[in-house]
């Protein structure tokens, strides 16, 4: 036991809460304003600090910026998503790495070699862990886009097998979400939809 005062953490101010949460929206159109490589790098620099089980960090990102890259991606998107993606200045294909365990000695030095060996023959277990934890990291990735002063348009409507063959053939990466990134364009937002009532979504014990 010690008499030390507990560490006081900073509280996000009202402006920050609006940017990240209460006034943030999913963008459906994007302005013809380029997104620079250093802005995309900033997004990842923030997103990579997300929590994950045993610090395994299975999320991987492919930033697609060129018209050629977006055309390749567009072939595998649902019809209703193609125009949005082709007009977005940048697109992130978020994936998980089923071989994330190979990085364990780097990201969890105290037990990394043991964890890498334990997961080596457990592809199903690794996939389950990678799917869950990359989803956790994806939420932080979307917040990072907002924190970088940009809008995100996440989309799950695409042919995952097609995207994996197109971009990740021969690797251990598996796509799970496409995120359009840029500055909001004309009429970018759908009407704000309601939230689940607090009394139906929060319990106390």
């Amino acid at each position: 036991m010690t008499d030390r005062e507990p560490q006081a953490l900073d509280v996000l101010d009202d402006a920050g809460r609006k940017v990240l949460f209460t006034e943030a929206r999913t963008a459906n159109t994007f302005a013809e304003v380029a997104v620079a490589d250093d802005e995309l790098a900033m997004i990842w620099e923030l997103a990579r600090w997300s929590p994950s089980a045993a610090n395994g960090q299975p999320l991987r990102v492919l930033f697609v910026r060129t018209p050629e890259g977006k055309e390749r991606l567009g072939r595998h998107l649902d019809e209703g998503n193609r125009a949005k993606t082709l007009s977005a200045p940048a697109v992130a294909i978020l994936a998980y790495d089923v071989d994330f365990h190979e990085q364990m000695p780097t990201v969890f030095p105290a037990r990394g070699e043991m964890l890498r060996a334990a997961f080596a023959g457990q592809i199903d277990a690794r996939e389950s862990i990678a799917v869950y934890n990359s989803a956790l990291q994806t939420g932080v990735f979307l917040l990072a886009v907002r924190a970088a002063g940009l809008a995100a348009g996440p989309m799950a409507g695409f042919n995952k097998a097609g995207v994996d063959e197109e971009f990740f053939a021969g690797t251990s990466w598996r796509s799970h979400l496409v995120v359009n990134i840029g500055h909001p364009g004309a009429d970018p937002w759908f009407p704000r939809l309601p939230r689940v009532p607090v009394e139906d979504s929060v319990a106390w014990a």
Side-chain angles (χ1 to χ4, degrees), residues 10-194:
D10 293 334
V11 177
L12 194 65
D13 64 17
D14 188 57
R17 294 178 200 176
K18 288 179 179 179
V19 167
L20 296 183
F21 299 104
T22 58
E23 294 187 4
R25 307 292 295 279
T26 293
N28 294 285
T29 68
F30 294 90
E32 293 183 6
V33 178
V35 174
D37 286 359
D38 60 355
E39 291 179 287
L40 298 177
M42 181 196 307
I43 292 168
W44 183 246
E45 180 56 36
L46 295 172
R48 72 193 189 99
W49 300 103
S50 168
S52 57
N55 202 34
Q57 304 171 51
L59 185 67
R60 304 290 183 262
V61 182
L62 172 64
F63 287 115
V64 181
R65 303 160 301 157
T66 65
E68 296 79 11
K70 284 187 279 185
E71 286 286 352
R72 290 172 59 200
L73 175 59
R75 297 196 277 269
H76 307 287
L77 299 178
D78 291 356
E79 182 64 35
N81 291 332
R82 288 193 189 113
K84 289 188 285 189
T85 295
L86 291 175
S87 69
V91 185
I93 302 175
L94 302 189
Y96 57 87
D97 186 353
V98 294
D99 287 346
F100 70 90
H101 68 299
E102 296 292 351
Q103 295 288 340
M104 293 310 297
T106 298
V107 299
F108 200 154
R111 301 174 62 195
E113 292 294 349
M114 180 271 289
L115 288 168
R116 179 164 65 178
F119 280 126
Q122 299 189 51
I123 181 63
D124 290 342
R126 294 203 313 268
E127 177 118 19
S128 177
I129 291 168
V131 168
Y132 179 85
N133 284 279
S134 65
L136 175 64
Q137 290 184 274
T138 292
V140 177
F141 181 92
L142 297 176
L143 293 178
V145 173
R146 297 169 177 177
L150 297 164
M155 304 183 306
F158 65 97
N159 182 332
K160 294 181 180 180
V163 168
D164 290 351
E165 180 64 27
E166 186 77 43
F167 292 98
F168 304 139
T171 78
S172 54
W173 293 19
R174 306 289 183 266
S175 59
H176 82 100
L177 194 69
V178 170
V179 183
N180 296 328
I181 298 172
H183 296 276
D187 193 22
W189 323 120
F190 292 147
R192 185 65 139 172
L193 295 173

